[in-house]
Amino acid sequence: MESDASSPPRVAILDATIGLLREEGYAAVSSRRIATRAGLKSKLVHYYFRNMDELFLAVFKRIEDEHFAQLTQVLAQRKPLRALWRLSMDSTNTAMVLELNALATHRKVLRAEIARASKRLRLLQSAVIERAVAESGGGAAPLPPMILSVLALAVSRLLAMDSVLGVDCGHEETLGWIEALIAHVEDGAPLPA
């Protein structure tokens, strides 16, 4: 097996898998469909990835690395809460996370990686929130940073699922409240009612 993680066929396989996951869901992913989409012979999928678990782990790792690179940029901002919220609300990321979570119900090895990354994400988001509160000179956070991190992730995922289903009931009010909460913490604006 070739060790070069950036070899063109390997990258094409990962790109094709991510595309299928985003567009059609995990049930549509097979080595044949991946190969067809990547313009490769299906044997190459198994040359670069011994099995589908290994492929799904590589997909998850790539998405995780991209997301944490974005989080690093958020950390560098003077007022990171809005950027952190926008990143949480990125429907492309959220939809992929939901798809991978659904896949993880069938793939134990992926479930373990998602759990590890989720813990890492929550700790990092909590640290960003804590830092933003400490540096803002604005209002105090109404809840501990870890709870705010969990709530932000839960709300963004719920809104993404609702959007897929065509449900928008309560979205505008929720988004407005969160924006007001961010303004409270970062700018000292009145706490939303």
Side-chain angles (χ1 to χ4, degrees), residues 138-190:
L143 296 169
M146 183 57 77
I147 293 173
L148 289 172
S149 173
V150 171
L151 289 174
L153 288 169
V155 168
S156 65
R157 289 177 184 173
L158 176 65
L159 295 180
M161 285 190 306
D162 277 1
S163 294
V164 168
L165 298 171
V167 176
D168 63 2
C169 182
H171 286 207
E172 188 176 327
E173 297 89 338
T174 302
L175 293 171
W177 189 89
I178 290 172
E179 284 296 325
L181 177 62
I182 291 169
H184 169 72
V185 172
E186 286 192 337
D187 307 322

Side-chain angles (χ1 to χ4, degrees), residues 11-58:
V11 170
I13 291 165
L14 289 172
D15 290 344
T17 305
I18 290 169
L20 284 169
L21 282 167
R22 280 198 172 115
E23 295 164 19
E24 300 181 46
Y26 77 85
V29 177
S30 68
S31 58
R32 243 188 215 124
R33 294 219 42 219
I34 292 166
T36 299
R37 186 174 181 128
L40 302 169
K41 295 182 182 196
S42 71
K43 287 182 180 182
L44 276 179
V45 173
H46 294 291
Y47 173 77
Y48 286 96
F49 302 96
R50 288 177 301 195
N51 54 47
M52 294 304 279
D53 281 345
E54 193 175 285
L55 173 58
F56 288 131
L57 284 172

Side-chain angles (χ1 to χ4, degrees), residues 13 16-17 22 26 28 35 46 53 59-60 68 70 73 75 85-87 107 124 130 136 145 155 157 173 175 185 191:
I13 291 165
T17 305
R22 280 198 172 115
Y26 77 85
H46 294 291
D53 281 345
V59 165
F60 179 76
F68 278 92
Q70 293 171 325
Q73 292 174 350
L75 282 169
W85 176 244
R86 280 193 301 275
L87 184 58
R107 305 219 178 242
L124 184 57
E130 190 170 352
S136 71
V155 168
R157 289 177 184 173
E173 297 89 338
L175 293 171
V185 172
L191 190 63

